[in-house]
Amino acid sequence: MSQLSEKSLKILFRPPIKTHILHPEIFSYTSLQEDIELHSSSSKPMSVKDTLNILVKYFYAYIYPESSSVRISLNDISTCFNQFIHRRVGSELLWGRKELRLTFLKYGFALAMLADLAKSAHIFQEIANQEINPEKHEYFFLGVDIGAGTGILMLAQMISARKNRFREIEITGI
């Protein structure tokens, strides 16, 4: 790396944030897939804690798709959020991780919407906890997400459809 590049990085450099994305008491050490199955088959409404766990694990799985069935640590998920936050500036979290940084930049807008946990959790929970009578719709659930981005709201629709015991589910993201 040239001296100019190194000095430019030092100007932009921001140290990693030292806290976790969720408080450890809120985090559940389960996989994203386990959380989805649990809440899809339960008639109990999802809590904010349940929703936040799905959102942070979904964020991680969006970057690392093979991780959806694996129990990922809170530290690894928090590091992923930290890397995303620092995608445009110099950070030791992204040194030597050019492909990861490019992924974050490529999907930056959609991931920024997902990473806004307060807003995403409110919308996700509102959709996932909807009570719908499947008989009125002949047990056919048709969902649409216009401006799907990461697809997180499609997941909320799927959880809602499964909770409400629809037999046939079709969800389209645009």
Side-chain angles (χ1 to χ4, degrees):
M1 187 179 296
S2 73
Q3 281 188 335
L4 179 59
S5 295
E6 286 180 32
K7 289 180 181 185
S8 297
L9 277 177
K10 284 183 181 179
I11 290 171
L12 294 173
F13 181 80
R14 299 292 180 272
I17 298 167
K18 300 287 186 206
T19 60
H20 290 300
I21 192 68
L22 294 181
H23 193 281
E25 290 178 10
I26 293 174
F27 185 73
S28 63
Y29 187 68
T30 50
S31 71
L32 173 61
Q33 201 168 26
E34 288 172 316
D35 287 349
I36 291 168
E37 289 304 315
L38 173 69
H39 299 297
S40 294
S41 61
S42 171
S43 59
K44 187 179 98 175
M46 288 180 63
S47 68
V48 172
K49 176 185 171 183
D50 300 331
T51 304
L52 288 171
N53 271 279
I54 285 180
L55 292 175
V56 299
K57 293 169 190 173
Y58 188 92
F59 183 96
Y60 189 90
Y62 196 83
I63 303 302
Y64 302 104
E66 70 285 352
S67 72
S68 66
S69 62
V70 178
R71 293 178 176 181
I72 307 299
S73 73
L74 177 57
N75 190 56
D76 287 347
I77 292 171
S78 297
T79 297
C80 186
F81 270 85
N82 221 338
Q83 290 167 323
F84 176 69
I85 291 165
H86 292 93
R87 68 194 178 280
R88 289 196 175 103
V89 296
S91 173
E92 62 196 53
L93 293 169
L94 290 168
W95 289 345
R97 310 281 314 264
K98 183 179 179 180
E99 288 299 316
L100 177 61
R101 187 170 184 212
L102 289 174
T103 298
F104 283 133
L105 291 169
K106 180 178 179 181
Y107 300 114
F109 182 77
L111 286 172
M113 300 295 108
L114 178 58
D116 184 347
L117 293 177
K119 191 180 298 179
S120 293
H122 176 75
I123 297 167
F124 187 96
Q125 200 170 6
E126 187 69 27
I127 295 168
N129 286 335
Q130 280 294 316
E131 289 185 28
I132 307 166
N133 183 348
E135 289 177 11
K136 287 186 175 181
H137 305 280
E138 298 177 12
Y139 291 89
F140 177 73
F141 182 94
L142 178 61
V144 177
D145 182 3
I146 299 172
T150 61
I152 191 66
L153 299 182
M154 294 171 66
L155 175 59
Q157 290 178 65
M158 190 273 302
I159 289 172
S160 178
R162 288 176 64 190
K163 282 172 98 66
N164 286 288
R165 294 179 173 70
F166 281 85
R167 291 186 197 128
E168 193 175 344
I169 302 170
E170 185 178 316
I171 301 170
T172 302
I174 300 168

